Amino acid sequence: MGEILQIRDLKVSYGGIDAVRGISFDVREGEVVTLIGANGAGKSSTLRAISGLVKPRGGNILFNGEDITGKDSTQIVSKGLMMVPEGRKIFPNLTVLENLRIGAYLRNDDLTSDLEMVFNYFPRLKERSWQAGGTLSGGEQQMLAVGRALMGRPKLLMMDEPSLGLAPIVVQGIFEIINRIHQDGTTVLLIEQNANMALHVADRAYVIENGRITMEGSGRELLEDESVKAAYLGTTGS
Ligand SMILES: Nc1ncnc2c1ncn2[C@@H]1O[C@H](COP(=O)(O)OP(=O)(O)OP(=O)(O)O)[C@@H](O)[C@H]1O
Ligand SMILES: [Mg+2]
């Protein structure tokens, strides 16, 4: 299938700091692609540029062949490109249901079937639909953040470290959901520090170091690569 996202020589700077120094990669329709890298490597900056939350200093972002570089975030969301941000960013004083409805803020049609779809992925959210978002557990808040993005019917779902700060059993649940979302036909671009889980779920992966891509391959290839093992998987040898 064709490329849904093409990133060409993307550069992001904050003042004098070069966070992303010329990154190029592709996501094809139907894939799960992951970007892995250490703290400060430029992963979130890459996603924020794609989402229109920061203006790139250089390079191009094509979504379904259309140049969306520098467009504002609402325009980008309206094209079907949704992000689950780092740190979830749910609205703590709004209920679960209200948070979910916000995910569909650009639509004015009936949301019943979309809510059903989200509650099917996350039955816990249905039980807690009247609870304030801020009173949910960390794992439940992550479910809500993913559910909210799904309410926008993404063509490409981008997730920034969905496993951060969650217990291993909850992390496993989140990755199972990523798998299901993928199997149900959504293309996923995933950022993770949990390289082990991310590489298991990914069709293809890129390693980012200091704002540059230093390695790419299938999830399996990177899982078996000695330098990836040493730097990101906490294991060497086999
Ligand atoms: N708003 C900002 N102002 C100034 N510098 C920033 C800003 N946001 C990010 N940076 C810097 O840009 C670099 C890349 O940050 P980024 O958040 O993209 O990294 P990351 O790979 O997502 O890291 P982490 O895994 O810790 O989330 C870092 O050196 C960071 O300090
Ligand atoms: Mg980050």
Side-chain angles (χ1 to χ4, degrees):
M1 279 205 244
E3 276 93 13
I4 190 165
L5 185 71
Q6 296 164 283
I7 306 299
R8 295 288 171 266
D9 202 24
L10 183 69
K11 296 184 175 117
V12 178
S13 302
Y14 306 99
I17 299 168
D18 293 327
V20 179
R21 305 164 187 241
I23 277 184
S24 300
F25 66 93
D26 294 322
V27 180
R28 299 179 199 125
E29 224 175 317
E31 282 187 317
V32 176
V33 170
T34 188
L35 310 179
I36 60 171
N39 289 119
K43 305 180 300 296
S44 295
S45 300
T46 300
L47 277 209
R48 284 200 291 265
I50 298 169
S51 304
L53 300 174
V54 297
K55 298 264 179 259
R57 187 167 68 76
N60 290 92
I61 301 162
L62 288 103
F63 184 58
N64 280 322
E66 182 189 351
D67 196 329
I68 59 164
T69 319
K71 289 205 189 304
D72 69 54
S73 53
T74 301
Q75 276 178 296
I76 290 171
V77 165
S78 73
K79 293 178 192 302
L81 218 165
M82 318 286 159
M83 172 158 79
V84 181
E86 191 173 17
R88 292 134 206 176
K89 307 276 189 315
I90 61 158
F91 297 97
N93 298 322
L94 300 184
T95 66
V96 167
L97 198 59
E98 286 164 343
N99 268 280
L100 290 175
R101 288 184 182 283
I102 284 172
Y105 75 105
L106 289 175
R107 293 171 36 205
N108 50 17
D109 49 337
D110 183 27
L111 301 181
T112 312
S113 65
D114 301 86
L115 285 168
E116 256 170 42
M117 175 261 302
V118 169
F119 290 148
N120 182 24
Y121 285 128
F122 304 111
R124 180 74 66 92
L125 293 182
K126 187 172 191 177
E127 290 164 21
R128 294 172 181 268
S129 55
W130 300 106
Q131 189 171 323
T135 63
L136 296 173
S137 74
E140 290 164 351
Q141 290 191 18
Q142 187 63 61
M143 293 175 198
L144 181 55
V146 175
R148 183 178 58 187
L150 290 174
M151 289 296 291
R153 295 190 187 164
K155 295 194 180 93
L156 173 62
L157 179 64
M158 302 195 290
M159 299 191 213
D160 194 345
E161 302 214 31
S163 76
L164 193 69
L166 303 179
I169 183 88
V170 181
V171 171
Q172 191 144 3
I174 292 286
F175 276 91
E176 277 164 20
I177 290 293
I178 294 171
N179 250 328
R180 268 183 67 194
I181 291 169
H182 173 226
Q183 277 160 15
D184 291 346
T186 303
T187 307
V188 176
L189 175 58
L190 173 69
I191 285 188
E192 266 296 339
Q193 278 192 59
N194 190 331
N196 186 35
M197 294 293 267
L199 292 174
H200 274 98
V201 80
D203 296 302
R204 292 187 308 110
Y206 297 85
V207 176
I208 299 187
E209 287 172 16
N210 289 319
R212 290 196 176 87
I213 288 175
T214 54
M215 211 182 294
E216 64 174 283
S218 70
R220 179 167 303 174
E221 279 164 354
L222 294 202
L223 272 172
E224 288 167 1
D225 183 275
E226 292 302 326
S227 61
V228 171
K229 281 186 192 174
Y232 300 105
L233 300 174
T235 54
T236 48
S238 50

